[in-house]
Amino acid sequence: MALNVSRLDGPARPVIGLTTYLQQAKSGIWDTHASFLPGVYLDGVTLAGGIATLLPPQPVDADIASQVLDGIDGLVITGGRDVDPSSYGHDPHPTSDEPDRARDVWEFALIAAAVRRHLPVLGICRGAQMLNVALGGTLHQHLPDIVGHTRHQQGNAVFTTSSIRTVAGSRLAGLVGENTNAQCYHHQAIDRLGDGLMISALDDDGVIEGVEIPGDDFVLAVQWHPEETLDDLRLFAGLVEAARTYTTERGRTRA
């Protein structure tokens, strides 16, 4: 078999780890406890030039999280059920999901280790909330109580379109411009901002739709679902490019 030298000589594709669900799932005749993630997340990474790998919830400590991150160049904290309110000192709202504490603990460990090592991170919907709580922030548990309507999450798995305004000078603004339309499905949102985070986007209701850590590190999270509009890969492309740079710099450090 001939060796494809051109592929070996080309720019390396960074490996992007994506967190997953771990819950009961059906596939054909099977109904079993499973790790899974909607394929559009994988498409967002691969279409943007990355290699996608899944990171299922599992027992974790700081050493395990660090070892996992040794094998990837960027991290996506994906969407899913509500963050356990006890993790930010609140009692549960009647509408809050039953918490998935195993996933919460897993993702908190990954976020902490990723931020320490300056690994590029993209948070999506729940991922934005996880990042904020991991850094000491809190959440609004039910947005209709705050904004007076249910347009952010109308139910029945139907995404709604929100108009988003980015903050001038933010990394997010550099990626998507001053305004963008976003596919939203969330009944919770960021309340008190986590330590070291800045707001990088708001919607017309004043709801925080984007946050980031200012500076050179790519740590960015959006409250919407960019994987639902894969004709616009700017957020995934930004993560992949940051991961490629991280890989290059890490290789230089190791050399």
Side-chain angles (χ1 to χ4, degrees):
M1 180 183 295
L3 183 64
N4 189 338
V5 177
S6 62
R7 286 188 62 186
L8 295 178
D9 290 342
R13 284 178 171 259
V15 178
I16 307 297
L18 301 100
T19 59
T20 74
Y21 307 80
L22 184 60
Q23 60 192 61
Q24 204 68 16
K26 291 184 179 181
S27 177
I29 63 172
W30 305 104
D31 184 354
T32 186
H33 201 54
S35 171
F36 67 97
L37 188 70
V40 284
Y41 284 99
L42 311 183
D43 293 340
V45 168
T46 57
L47 290 171
I51 299 170
T53 189
L54 300 184
L55 306 177
Q58 55 196 283
V60 66
D61 57 30
D63 289 340
I64 292 172
S66 183
Q67 188 172 347
V68 167
L69 297 188
D70 283 343
I72 63 176
D73 309 302
L75 175 65
V76 179
I77 306 296
T78 61
R81 66 174 58 201
D82 299 337
V83 181
D84 182 1
S86 69
S87 63
Y88 50 93
H90 287 193
D91 294 327
H93 188 279
T95 64
S96 293
D97 295 332
E98 184 70 23
D100 183 350
R101 294 188 176 91
R103 183 179 178 185
D104 287 356
V105 171
W106 171 241
E107 292 184 349
F108 281 138
L110 292 177
I111 290 169
V115 170
R116 281 197 304 270
R117 65 173 58 199
H118 311 287
L119 185 83
V121 177
L122 174 63
I124 293 176
C125 197
R126 165 191 158 93
Q129 298 166 10
M130 284 295 299
L131 177 65
N132 189 63
V133 174
L135 296 176
T138 64
L139 304 178
H140 293 299
Q141 287 192 59
H142 193 53
L143 269 180
D145 293 346
I146 307 301
V147 299
H149 61 75
T150 61
R151 287 194 296 273
H152 293 89
Q153 186 188 85
Q154 300 216 0
N156 297 317
V158 176
F159 288 85
T160 55
T161 302
S162 294
S163 178
I164 306 299
R165 293 172 286 106
T166 60
V167 173
S170 66
R171 182 183 297 275
L172 183 58
L175 289 172
V176 304
E178 294 181 5
N179 301 278
T180 190
N181 289 326
Q183 295 298 296
C184 290
Y185 198 86
H186 61 98
H187 82 111
Q188 300 196 338
I190 291 169
D191 181 10
R192 189 182 74 244
L193 207 60
D195 296 337
L197 287 174
M198 62 168 277
I199 296 171
S200 52
L202 298 162
D203 71 4
D204 290 340
D205 290 314
V207 173
I208 297 172
E209 290 283 347
V211 292
E212 62 189 68
I213 294 180
D216 294 334
D217 293 348
F218 188 106
V219 181
L220 169 65
V222 295
Q223 187 61 74
W224 71 87
H225 285 269
E227 78 282 1
E228 292 296 322
T229 51
L230 292 179
D231 56 334
D232 181 355
L233 292 171
R234 290 176 292 180
L235 286 175
F236 286 107
L239 173 68
V240 168
E241 183 57 34
R244 184 176 288 113
T245 300
Y246 174 84
T247 304
T248 301
E249 294 300 321
R250 183 171 61 170
R252 287 174 182 166
T253 301
R254 289 177 172 176

